[in-house]
Amino acid sequence: MTEKVIEFLRKKDYRFIKELGSGACGKTILLYDEIIDEKFVCKKYLPYFEHHKEQLFKNFVQEIKLLHLVNHRNIVRVFSYYIYPDHLTGYILMEFIEGSDIEEYSSESPENINEIFLQAIEGFSYLESMNILHRDIRPQNVMVTDGGVLKIIDFGFGKRIAEKEDFDKSITLNWWCETPPDFEQDLYDFQTEVYFVGKLFEKIIKEQEIEQFKYLNVVKSMCNPDRNERIRTFFDIRTGILSEKLLEIDFDDDELYAYREFSKYLSSLISKIEQDAKYYDDIDKIQANLDDLHKRVMLEEDLPDNADLTRCFINGAYFFSKKNSFPVRSLKAFIDLLRSCSREKRNIVLSNLHSRLDALNRYEEKSGFDDDIPF
């Protein structure tokens, strides 16, 4: 049976407000949707150099693909797109960010630099968990809204990693800072991204002489040219910072019990995790998935399928034991814990849970145990 094509015949009209800027790959304008009373940024693919038009069009389509994969408060949202391959052109409708780039924002609001740094780590940690390299980290591509929310933008050179070979350096840009020795090895990976984010904040702190920045040692390690001495991942940065914050935030006995029981049962389900597997770190999405799971099993004593739970936390391959069970009451208590906590406390809970999982055995090749089920 041939699939029926659903045709949307009515064209969508927007009111032009102003041009926002232009670059090597095209220009952006601000549009207004009168029906829903919202502003959107429209990015048109129109490269400056005609002989690069076909090659850069692939980057334009890749940007759309990557942005449709992500959903995080610190990353610009894409709402729609229009592609015309025959004419090598197209448009992306994106979130309008009312604010300024990170350098301008920090010069006007230096007192918020610590929170902005934490949000940057959150955003890039999320991209890392999705295996997405940004590959064009510079001040103009890190925006901050007037309300103080950091937004990572411009994924025109972004890349999703599927194989180790994907970490090969395949782009040449005019970098705004000293490049790392990684480039001499034709390497660009997440540790390279750590370097450029570190250099970004190092530049801001030095040039603007910001004295209240609390994470100087972290930035120094991020900027280390020696890969053996440089912090390896944004996940490591995030975990380290949140672990330190744990000392400043109190959890009562009921909260500690709910977390410890949940983490104990969860780690008992998993026998080993594949070496390259990552953890999901969007706490809002995790909480929504746990809520959905609980609705489906709330009348049971134990989870019918443990994989439904483990999939909420692990992005990759692992083995879980078929011997152990997970009580639904512990799931409910953990959900209640997340509902009652502030965002900062929820992030600390998740960071500690990741540390608990990180202590489990890792493996490189899938070789199962008799009592384990591969997933």
Side-chain angles (χ1 to χ4, degrees), residues 112-128:
N112 295 333
I113 188 66
N114 293 305
E115 172 60 24
I116 293 303
F117 177 73
L118 294 177
Q119 289 189 48
I121 299 304
E122 288 288 337
F124 282 101
S125 179
Y126 173 80
L127 290 176
E128 185 178 82

Side-chain angles (χ1 to χ4, degrees), residues 262-277:
F262 182 87
S263 63
K264 178 185 69 174
Y265 281 121
L266 179 64
S267 58
S268 72
L269 298 181
I270 305 163
S271 58
K272 57 180 181 175
I273 302 175
E274 200 270 327
Q275 188 67 42
D276 294 328

Side-chain angles (χ1 to χ4, degrees), residues 33-89:
D33 186 328
E34 295 181 342
I35 296 177
I36 63 173
D37 188 26
E38 286 291 341
K39 296 175 183 177
F40 296 96
V41 169
C42 180
K43 182 175 183 178
K44 179 181 181 180
Y45 177 70
L46 186 66
Y48 186 79
F49 297 104
E50 184 69 21
H51 60 282
H52 288 158
K53 193 171 185 178
E54 185 171 351
Q55 175 59 38
L56 292 178
F57 183 71
K58 297 178 181 178
N59 293 348
F60 180 77
V61 175
Q62 176 68 8
E63 180 176 11
I64 295 172
K65 290 181 178 179
L66 291 180
L67 287 173
H68 267 285
L69 291 173
V70 301
N71 181 16
H72 193 276
R73 72 189 293 262
N74 297 125
I75 299 170
V76 65
R77 293 177 62 192
V78 61
F79 293 102
S80 189
Y81 65 90
Y82 308 90
I83 300 178
Y84 306 95
D86 294 340
H87 301 282
L88 293 179
T89 191

Side-chain angles (χ1 to χ4, degrees), residues 10 14 31 50 75 80 97 127 161-162 182-183 191 196 246 252 269 283 321 342 355 368 373:
R10 185 191 183 282
Y14 300 91
L31 301 177
E50 184 69 21
I75 299 170
S80 189
I97 300 171
L127 290 176
I161 302 303
D182 311 33
F183 284 13
Q191 195 172 18
F196 281 116
L246 179 62
D252 62 35
L269 298 181
I283 188 61
S321 175
S342 64
S355 297
I373 301 172

